[in-house]
Amino acid sequence: MKVKYFAWVRERVGKAEETIEPPPSVRTVDDLIAWLVQRGETYAYAFEKSKVIRAAIDHAHVKPDAVIAGAREIAFFPPMTGG
């Protein structure tokens, strides 16, 4: 699956996107974040405040407990404010 990172999440991870294959035990967005954090220091830094990070699966906003099975793309981004 393709994972995209936006704004300060992208800056901290050090890349805009990547293709990954998480293990079968990674079933939800929360599981994916926990798995990514284990991949290294930059991911741990990017997701240190994981509760404020938003996610989208195939362009639809989802909650942290959303199942990722079958997802083509998952995006992570910080909360946005509007004016």
Side-chain angles (χ1 to χ4, degrees), residues 25-80:
S25 61
V26 175
R27 301 183 45 152
T28 66
V29 170
D30 268 345
D31 292 345
L32 181 58
I33 290 172
W35 181 75
L36 288 168
V37 165
Q38 299 302 311
R39 294 184 75 196
E41 209 173 278
T42 57
Y43 294 96
Y45 179 50
F47 291 100
E48 70 182 349
K49 295 180 182 175
S50 63
K51 297 301 177 202
V52 301
I53 294 175
R54 304 295 180 245
I57 295 177
D58 296 330
H59 303 274
H61 291 248
V62 296
K63 294 185 182 221
D65 62 352
V67 175
I68 63 171
R72 291 183 306 271
E73 177 185 285
I74 299 177
F76 291 108
F77 47 92
M80 305 292 178

Side-chain angles (χ1 to χ4, degrees), residues 1-3 15 17-22 35 39 72:
M1 79 181 54
K2 183 181 285 189
V3 178
K15 57 183 98 177
E17 65 181 56
E18 65 183 321
T19 300
I20 61 167
E21 288 190 39
W35 181 75
R39 294 184 75 196
R72 291 183 306 271

Side-chain angles (χ1 to χ4, degrees), residues 2-23:
K2 183 181 285 189
V3 178
K4 292 186 174 185
Y5 307 102
F6 293 92
W8 56 259
V9 180
R10 177 186 60 231
E11 292 167 10
R12 292 177 177 189
V13 169
K15 57 183 98 177
E17 65 181 56
E18 65 183 321
T19 300
I20 61 167
E21 288 190 39

